[in-house]
Amino acid sequence: MEGDCLSCMKYLMFLFNFFIFLGGACLMGVGIWVIVDPTGFREIVAANPLLFTGAYIMLAMGAMLFLLGFLGCCGAIRENKCLLLFFFMFILLIFLAELSAAILAFIFRENLTREFFTKELKKHYLRNNDTDVFSSTWNSVMITFACCGVNGPEDFEAVPHLPHSSLEKATPEACCQRELQSREGMFINKEACLTGVERFQNRQGCYTVILNSFETYVYLAGALAIGVLAIELFAMIFAMCLFRGIQ
């Protein structure tokens, strides 16, 4: 009976580690996509050091889970106590790091509100100054998502004009409609847009556009994170039970 229980535990351990292996492969895939994606998202990430670092952290975490899933599968099938102990300790460290990150994300969630982004935009945005990381990032976001400001063009009324600008309106070039939503895309009517003709402007705020674009993926990412934590927890339990059961 004990041998059957140990054999069942071994194959359950293998199954959970196989899912960890797949989860690590998925994280690696997302990390690589964010870093090399040619459609404009890479430009946004590269302009923001925090996002750029986050992409590499995701890639590293994926590689680590990929490796540990592989080690867990080998340790379970071969009933190797050294591999199982190594696997348990590293999965525990990753589990605690992910749990800490989730808690910090919940604590600082107020930094992702519409009001926070509006305040930061009005405070730091320097219009078409692409040498400024903050402004360049915002311009890339507005061009890529065909949006304007956080709430709309009215966000830029409090933003200082460029010294050489003689235009009456505050709309930046990044809010003007283009034939193709990229920096290389031709303006439909740049002069009319900058002088306040609304039909040549992107009127919708980026907060709403991006939220609608990624809403499905945010819930999917949250569900995936909960699933990964649950799988890691069960994998640790099975690893320790299998470790104790091996003679």
Side-chain angles (χ1 to χ4, degrees):
M1 186 68 178
E2 185 178 343
D4 292 339
C5 184
L6 185 63
S7 179
C8 179
M9 193 73 69
K10 179 173 73 172
Y11 288 110
L12 283 173
M13 172 75 179
F14 177 84
L15 181 64
F16 277 112
N17 277 283
F18 181 70
F19 282 122
I20 290 173
F21 178 83
L22 290 180
C26 289
L27 281 178
M28 284 178 63
V30 171
I32 292 170
W33 173 75
V34 168
I35 292 169
V36 304
D37 173 55
T39 60
F41 194 65
R42 178 188 178 188
E43 184 180 15
I44 299 169
V45 172
N48 190 320
L50 185 61
L51 291 177
F52 194 67
T53 304
Y56 278 101
I57 290 173
M58 183 183 296
L59 183 62
M61 290 292 289
M64 188 176 295
L65 286 175
F66 183 87
L67 176 62
L68 288 176
F70 177 76
L71 290 175
C73 288
C74 291
I77 292 298
R78 293 178 176 273
E79 298 185 8
N80 187 307
K81 296 185 74 170
C82 182
L83 282 177
L84 288 172
L85 184 61
F86 177 81
F87 166 82
F88 176 84
M89 295 301 296
F90 272 84
I91 282 290
L92 179 62
L93 289 175
I94 293 172
F95 179 84
L96 293 175
E98 289 173 345
L99 196 60
S100 300
I103 293 170
L104 287 173
F106 179 79
I107 292 173
F108 293 105
R109 68 190 185 283
E110 64 272 8
N111 287 348
L112 299 177
T113 61
R114 184 187 295 269
E115 291 74 21
F116 172 81
F117 285 118
T118 303
K119 179 182 176 182
E120 291 298 302
L121 178 68
K122 292 181 178 179
K123 183 178 180 181
H124 299 292
Y125 184 69
L126 299 177
R127 297 184 178 276
N128 300 321
N129 184 359
D130 283 338
T131 59
D132 177 66
V133 172
F134 184 88
S135 303
S136 177
T137 302
W138 260 107
N139 287 336
S140 296
V141 169
M142 291 189 291
I143 292 170
T144 302
F145 290 95
C147 56
C148 188
V150 179
N151 309 288
E154 64 274 9
D155 289 342
F156 298 101
E157 292 176 1
V159 176
H161 288 270
L162 294 173
H164 60 274
S165 175
S166 60
L167 297 170
E168 298 178 0
K169 298 294 181 179
T171 308
E173 287 184 10
C175 288
C176 296
Q177 292 182 4
R178 299 169 183 248
E179 294 177 0
L180 178 66
Q181 294 306 319
S182 70
R183 287 184 177 271
E184 292 74 31
M186 296 291 293
F187 291 100
I188 294 176
N189 192 328
K190 179 179 174 180
E191 290 73 19
C193 167
L194 295 179
T195 52
V197 180
E198 294 186 2
R199 65 192 183 95
F200 295 113
Q201 297 175 350
N202 295 316
R203 303 292 300 174
Q204 194 169 16
C206 293
Y207 190 88
T208 301
V209 171
I210 294 175
L211 201 63
N212 291 339
S213 299
F214 290 102
E215 186 175 12
T216 304
Y217 300 103
V218 168
Y219 290 120
L220 182 62
L224 181 62
I226 293 172
V228 168
L229 287 174
I231 289 171
E232 289 173 354
L233 183 60
F234 279 110
M236 286 189 291
I237 293 171
F238 285 132
M240 189 49 61
C241 290
L242 188 58
F243 178 86
R244 291 173 60 87
I246 295 173
Q247 300 300 322

